[in-house]
Amino acid sequence: MVSLHLTCPSDERDVLLAALWEAGTAGVTETDLPGNECALRAFFESPVDHSEFMDYSPRWEQEPDVDWAAESRAAWPARVVGERWFIVPPWNEDAVPEGRVRLVINPGIGFGTGNDLTTQLCLEALEREWSAGDAVLDFGTGSGILALAAHALGSKTVAACDIDDDAVRAARLDLPEAIGFFTGSIRSIRDASIDLLLANLNAETIANHAAEMRRVLRPGGRVIISGVPPRHGERVSKALTANGIPPREVHEEQIWLRIVC
Ligand code: SAH
């Protein structure tokens, strides 16, 4: 790849840009210079005839060869979380370390790539709290990562909801069919049908839905919550306690709480 560098008065920029696109550029960067001037850098596979740009101090430069596909793959390395998880993007072929479960998540889609601490806090608690036979609800599923993790552990019944229809559609396309993704809220879930509820949501949503969360839990049901900043911890804990799901454990890490009920 090569680039053609030009300098022009700012009011000629648009005309020059059009001429560069006409000449077949793959892309142009623009930088404002002092004195109402502008620097353009137009990328080409190989040098082209630049005679029409002679008034704009043309200069060619060789660009380093960058494998952009490889670069973007390198930006999403495999990630180990907690004791059990090995989170990878779809193109990753690294072997799963012994004792870990592979979670394949497309990083472009929805909140929940595995890079966020709130997601990781939930995953860490999930590996401790999960029991065989648990029916799981992922309330606010985003990318579907927590639902996928429960499915990967062996839960046969995993429901996952989100009010963001785009996230739900993407998760449904990407993740195992056995996970019951739906657009909507916890209100659609039957009474007393869930053993383990995962809720990585903000403080207000948790506090406002505490009664609904209690309603869907079976006797002995457990809840894993994250996404609550410490300053809202007391309010959320009170709402949970008032609705019959008192916190058993509150863990603080960096700017987040994880609450297990
Ligand atoms: N569970 C994922 C994503 C958490 S982000 C993870 O742990 O990484 C929170 C998600 O909750 C967002 O996708 C947002 O759209 C969704 N959400 C917010 N309020 C909601 C509500 N009332 N009902 C369902 N989903 C909700």
Side-chain angles (χ1 to χ4, degrees):
M1 182 88 41
V2 291
S3 58
L4 177 61
H5 293 244
L6 304 175
T7 312
C8 69
S10 295
D11 59 359
E12 289 180 41
R13 172 200 320 228
D14 289 346
V15 176
L16 264 188
L17 283 173
L20 286 164
W21 287 110
E22 191 66 23
T25 183
V28 187
T29 64
E30 306 169 37
T31 314
D32 287 324
L33 300 176
N36 257 341
E37 291 258 297
C38 171
L40 301 180
R41 180 173 168 204
F43 296 87
F44 295 88
E45 280 306 326
S46 52
V48 295
D49 174 18
H50 65 269
S51 49
E52 63 177 313
F53 303 114
M54 289 314 283
D55 291 343
Y56 305 101
S57 327
R59 176 171 57 84
W60 286 100
E61 256 184 41
Q62 181 68 43
E63 293 290 333
D65 278 331
V66 178
D67 180 346
W68 291 111
E71 291 278 305
S72 65
R73 283 196 295 272
W76 296 104
R79 178 176 291 274
V80 293
V81 171
E83 304 284 317
R84 297 296 314 274
W85 310 111
F86 186 65
I87 305 170
V88 295
W91 55 80
N92 182 292
E93 289 173 356
D94 295 353
V96 188
E98 207 183 313
R100 290 188 178 269
V101 177
R102 186 184 205 88
L103 299 180
V104 180
I105 284 288
N106 196 332
I109 295 165
F111 181 100
T113 56
N115 279 356
D116 295 280
L117 180 59
T118 57
T119 310
Q120 295 172 4
L121 290 170
C122 287
L123 286 170
E124 284 167 17
L126 176 62
E127 67 190 29
R128 280 194 278 116
E129 294 291 328
W130 183 86
S131 300
D134 272 355
V136 176
L137 171 65
D138 181 6
F139 175 24
T141 192
S143 67
I145 187 169
L146 300 180
L148 176 65
H151 172 80
L153 286 176
S155 274
K156 296 276 179 287
T157 305
V158 181
C161 68
D162 205 295
I163 47 177
D164 177 351
D165 188 46
D166 289 340
V168 169
R169 280 164 191 266
R172 198 184 281 139
L173 271 182
D174 262 22
L175 300 185
E177 255 176 48
I179 302 173
F181 287 105
F182 68 95
T183 302
S185 192
I186 191 171
R187 288 191 185 82
S188 315
I189 298 289
R190 271 205 327 268
D191 290 0
S193 58
I194 299 298
D195 301 296
L196 185 56
L197 172 49
L198 310 167
N200 185 8
L201 289 159
N202 65 37
E204 201 181 335
T205 309
I206 300 283
N208 290 343
H209 290 80
E212 281 291 295
M213 289 164 60
R214 175 72 192 86
R215 179 186 66 75
V216 303
L217 284 181
R218 282 196 182 126
R222 289 138 288 138
V223 186
I224 298 169
I225 292 166
S226 191
V228 177
R231 68 178 186 285
H232 293 313
E234 205 176 305
R235 183 160 71 89
V236 170
S237 291
K238 269 191 185 153
L240 293 167
T241 304
N243 285 285
I245 34 175
R248 280 186 280 135
E249 176 216 283
V250 179
H251 165 82
E252 183 170 339
E253 198 165 321
Q254 295 179 29
I255 55 166
W256 299 110
L257 294 182
R258 175 181 58 217
I259 302 173
V260 179
C261 312

